[in-house]
Amino acid sequence: MAQVEKRGGLLRKSSASKKPLKEKVVLMYDEIFMTEDPSKCSPRFWEELFLMKALGEEHPIRVVNALQTLCALIRGVHQKNKSTSGFDIINMLMGFDKAELCMKNLMESLDSLLCAEGSESLKSLCLKLLLCLVTVTDNISQNTILEYVMINSIFEAILQILSHPPSRREHGYDAVVLLALLVNYRKYESVNPYIVKLSIVDDEATLNGMGLVIAQALSEYNRQYKDKEEEHQSGFFSALTNMVGSMFIADAHEKISVQTNEAILLALYEAVHLNRNFITVLAQSHPEMGLVTTPVSPAPTTPVTPLGTTPPSSDVISSVELPLDADVQTSNLLITFLKYSSIVMQDTKDEHRLHSGKLCLIILTCIAEDQYANAFLHDDNMNFRVNLHRMPMRHRKKAADKNLPCRPLVCAVLDLMVEFIVTHMMKEFPMDLYIRCIQVVHKLLCYQKKCRVRLHYTWRELWSALINLLKFLMSNETVLLAKHNIFTLALMIVNLFNMFITYGDTFLPTPSSYDELYYEIIRMHQSFDNLYSMVLRLSTNAGQWKEAASKVTHALVNIRAIINHFNPKIESYAAVNHISQLSEEQVLEVVRANYDTLTLKLQDGLDQYERYSEQHKEAAFFKELVRSISTNVRRNLAFHTLSQEVLLKEFSTIS
Amino acid sequence: MRFLEARSLAVAMGDTVVEPAPLKPTSEPTSGPPGNNGGSLLSVITEGVGELSVIDPEVAQKACQEVLEKVKLLHGGVAVSSRGTPLELVNGDGVDSEIRCLDDPPAQIREEEDEMGAAVASGTAKGARRRRQNNSAKQSWLLRLFESKLFDISMAISYLYNSKEPGVQAYIGNRLFCFRNEDVDFYLPQLLNMYIHMDEDVGDAIKPYIVHRCRQSINFSLQCALLLGAYSSDMHISTQRHSRGTKLRKLILSDELKPAHRKRELPSLSPAPDTGLSPSKRTHQRSKSDATASISLSSNLKRTASNPKVENEDEELSSSTESIDNSFSSPVRLAPEREFIKSLMAIGKRLATLPTKEQKTQRLISELSLLNHKLPARVWLPTAGFDHHVVRVPHTQAVVLNSKDKAPYLIYVEVLECENFDTTSVPARIPENRIRSTRSVENLPECGITHEQRAGSFSTVPNYDNDDEAWSVDDIGELQVELPEVHTNSCDNISQFSVDSITSQESKEPVFIAAGDIRRRLSEQLAHTPTAFKRDPEDPSAVALKEPWQEKVRRIREGSPYGHLPNWRLLSVIVKCGDDLRQELLAFQVLKQLQSIWEQERVPLWIKPYKILVISADSGMIEPVVNAVSIHQVKKQSQLSLLDYFLQEHGSYTTEAFLSAQRNFVQSCAGYCLVCYLLQVKDRHNGNILLDAEGHIIHIDFGFILSSSPRNLGFETSAFKLTTEFVDVMGGLDGDMFNYYKMLMLQGLIAARKHMDKVVQIVEIMQQGSQLPCFHGSSTIRNLKERFHMSMTEEQLQLLVEQMVDGSMRSITTKLYDGFQYLTNGIM
């Protein structure tokens, strides 16, 4: 339609003259909109429209023109008829009686174009058309025309694109976004064949291809962000920091923002959530992105054939060669995703970032529930150095990246959660994100407890982050209570501690880490005392929080037992030894000496959790998310990526 | 002058080999369709060495017996003059070139016979006659020996090496067929080294056996080809090219020696290319050539074939296999395996270029994950003791080992055991993600204790504190943390629900637990499970090696898509690139020999020879010792003395576990002290001594033995390494165990001395044509023999052991060397 309008504009100018001189194309377009079916009176009408010269039936230029016209037409019709129902639009475009056949033909043509060994630009245009078709409405589920896309599946074509390295490099991104959107069509209301099909894909090449596309997009974002950040730091900013300290960091920081990519994140979510085989792709190691993006044409690979089928000329050493060099770190999709999350989650102020941050946490929740994912997260042999982005803050220096230890991946996940906890205690309290964050930690602990994984992690950081969060909840009680039920969160935090207290023997790395837990609780006993009096107060009042608060009081029973047991002993130790301030070592000594007289209560259900379920709780969020993605995709769709000139060159019949 | 007996022996042998010839068609289904292989057979023969197409061991044995009988008969009374008869008989029979492989060309025999006949006839040369008589006496003694039950493979090798008589050599060459394959396999390096470096007669005697075995076994072929290459490498390049060793190697690699019987047996189970599909599918696939039909094939390759070029190659390949298919043979059967080995070596080479261990490890993992895309395949690990196909390398488990400038690494390899490597088809590929469907969260084995067990395991303790305030709000009914009833999908929901029913419904009493119990449990569990090592970026292998093997097997099996198969096995192998393992192989053989000597003599010394695969003069593979870490790693990780570490791992002094570990330690120490002394093993720092989970020590790295020692710094002059720490573990200098240790050494030395020849022979033969540093100088063998002290009385030997132990104890050089290693290599 864009074309049509443009020409229309020209027309208006020239129409000032008495004799409107019209190009033939314009005349023909006029004809389309005037009569019922121009091909009735002139059977060769469409051919004439799409091919100025008498080109063959299947000539690419003809196809290109047709595709572009369809894009314009679909979009135009929708733009002009925003309030019209989907059925009316179908009627308008094709007529109900013919719609089914029309769409079947269209989808079949697109499918064969996408799968054929044909031109890459044609394939690209096909995908653009499909994306255009999918995103014409804000709410994808109201786009009735997609029913035909459901019936005439192009799922297989999408998979084929993803499984072939050359086509994946060219079209992978569009294909993945298209798939993510199609999966969200009437997700909760009807049986969407794309959901069913995606959930059972098990072809390694396809899944890996999908993973690579996602990893590439995410790491591109990470790279852009890093570039911008460096730009900022190397400028006036670094000089300023030196002088004024880090006062303005937060302000300056907000300027560094790169457009987040929710579409690709949604694709990652759908893959992780729907397809259980995709989890393995997360851990597929690939060299750090950037190197791979440069078309690794004829990869100088190995005996790519299965070994048993090697040609007799075996004296020629064909060796496995990875495009790696010494200073390129091996990475995988999960690491890239964690880095991405660390950037996105640091700032949840604007809507997009809040969405992205939430989606990241949802994906992490799915990962933390998955047995296989947990197995490789906790694999002692798969150690990585994950450079998470850390928000510069007043009271801490930016950690030097270089000294990061190489650890199992779960440490990076926990680091990310701790980082989130300590950086989001603000008035605009992201309660929902906090709950998800604590859930992720809890799920990981459940796995560790169950499989007796003794992770060498600095649990202390987590404990103190959690206690600080409790403190924050209490000091902002009135403000927060106006908007949130803070007791759910408080209960979850307390129960994390209960998990450590009751089941610490099954997953803590050393006996002294158990002592440290007690030390931390005793050291911060004031916070627990305060929490206790708060929940006690609210649970005895007959207010709306009575029930929620009383649950917390019950959950606090062991923590209070610990505090009440050890505090007097520590005091008497101090008195006997005439020490005013006990050192950590001394407190630990008291702790170690007095375990045996401490009785705890066995609490139920500490190691249980509710599994993630999209259908009931998250539907609204995903509807909103898909709406914003649709708008975004539509806005960014570029039809004119293929200039007429290039096309003519490519498809020229005169050689 | 040749000896009559020897000659007649040889000739008669030729004779008897003829006899079973008529049986061949029935007993030997191997000749295959005529004409099919004829060309190759001929070409083999024209190579100059008689080619025994196939000799069945039974047939060979029968032949040997008959030879001996005949010879006996001749000795018994037949006059010298009548000896012409059997000779005539042989020649008269017109021995077929195909089966006559052992004897000299007939012309030569006749000539010699004439000569001999003349000598006998003239009867003048008294000296010659006397010599002949002596010799015939010796010869008959020799024959009796050959015939006796005592005549084992070790003697056979010894006579093969020492005898200068072609007849004897040929006889022994034939006799090889009578020994068990495993027995001969042990001496394969010796046999091949003789084949390469000794005169033609020896070579001719050995070759038929080698060829025969190569036909039988693809693994044997590989080993021969590798050893022939490695042991020819010390030759000058110009001689090497034309040497018999190189020729035989080419013959083996050329695939002429593929098992003949496969042609018959395998039309259905053709060893065609491994597309990872079942045989039936494969045949189907071969027949179709159109693009659509090959989807399954190409989808299988897509994963790996990322560029069109390779895909083309593959198409060519499939078409070429199609054409070869008619003759039912695989395209060069050793090729996949050699390529597999080359890939592993290439990885090692590339790793060596990376600066840090961490980078090496990460790179290794990515490289192996690529390699995985090509598995399963018709490849195997030659260090394994059973037939199998390699199906997967659990790449994340691989570790880079400690080495200063090279990059040896250890990989675990998943294999599927099979009856016969040649006839079993390659297992179908199971995609990595397939494991998801076989193992879901719900089926996750519970390895933690359940809530229920936990509740039961705590003795309900009295509430010491009686801290009413802490429990004040306990309204027992409400105490339960409420659970969402519907969606709970806890890991252990079954036990959980049963607990719920017990604890919350039946008894409303809260369950109390003691904090002390939790803490105690934690320390106990950490103490009981053999301590895991902490991750050390500088020593990535420590953790992997410390993990108990069984646990590792279980863990890897759980994570493998092939793990559910009953014939799934886990193997491990160290890939060494840039290291000459020929000395290691020699040490392995000597250790193995000593082990069997001590076993035979019932001396409870413990040593652990580990298998070596020599791939070339600068690469190879080593079978890792499982459940063992180096003493260096032990000390660095535990920060304990060796004795304290023993106490930590096995329990206090009086426990059964400690005592048995201590006994193992003593027996292995004594064993290795003798090994170190006899072989003059040097470079004995704690990084080269392993400690296994049962308390045994295991010496590794035999890079400096016999005549070579590191950098000639004059360190390590003591007979073996015996530090005070070792003595402490044994219970101190005055303890019973230390006396036991010395007694074991004495017994071991006496036993070894008794069989010195068996040990020396191994070394001596390998010295032929070798430029290995361990053979440097001219006195290697003499010195080795001297260390057995043949002339000493047992009392003197006892004194010697005492002196050596004393010397090693007092030796500051051991200590100094450790200090030196600590300074230079950071080894504790």
Side-chain angles (χ1 to χ4, degrees), chain A residues 276 303-304 308-310 320 322 326 370-371 380 385 450 502-503 505 515 596 600-602 604 608, chain B residues 273-274 304 317 339 350 358-359 374 436 444 448 451 474 479-480 491 496 511 513 519-521 535:
Chain A
R276 45 197 297 151
V304 172
T309 60
T310 333
V320 195
L322 275 183
D370 186 276
Q371 159 68 9
D380 222 15
R385 191 167 278 150
K450 188 167 138 90
T502 325
Y503 295 113
D505 58 334
D515 305 339
D596 276 337
L600 301 171
K601 186 174 259 180
L602 187 59
D604 283 333
Q608 291 184 309
Chain B
D274 315 299
T304 49
L317 182 78
E339 200 174 279
R350 284 194 290 275
E358 200 181 301
Q359 283 172 326
K374 281 163 262 150
R436 307 273 305 143
L444 182 72
H451 194 91
D474 280 1
L479 192 77
Q480 310 292 327
C491 312
Q496 185 57 51
V511 181
I513 52 179
R519 173 62 158 72
R520 207 168 298 119
R521 205 180 292 271
R535 185 154 294 285

Side-chain angles (χ1 to χ4, degrees), chain A residues 35 86 133 425 443 459 507 628:
Chain A
T35 61
L133 192 64
M425 297 182 215
K443 283 167 185 177
W459 290 113
F507 63 88
S628 106

Side-chain angles (χ1 to χ4, degrees), chain A residues 2-22:
Chain A
Q3 279 181 336
V4 179
E5 279 171 354
K6 208 166 138 197
R7 287 170 204 270
L10 281 171
L11 187 69
R12 213 165 291 136
K13 268 183 194 167
S14 56
S15 69
S17 66
K18 276 174 191 171
K19 265 190 184 174
L21 183 71
K22 287 189 178 180

Side-chain angles (χ1 to χ4, degrees), chain B residues 753-766:
Chain B
R753 189 169 75 156
K754 195 169 152 191
H755 300 273
M756 179 187 83
D757 288 340
K758 279 189 179 180
V759 178
V760 173
Q761 160 199 41
I762 291 173
V763 181
E764 198 175 4
I765 296 176
M766 296 319 283

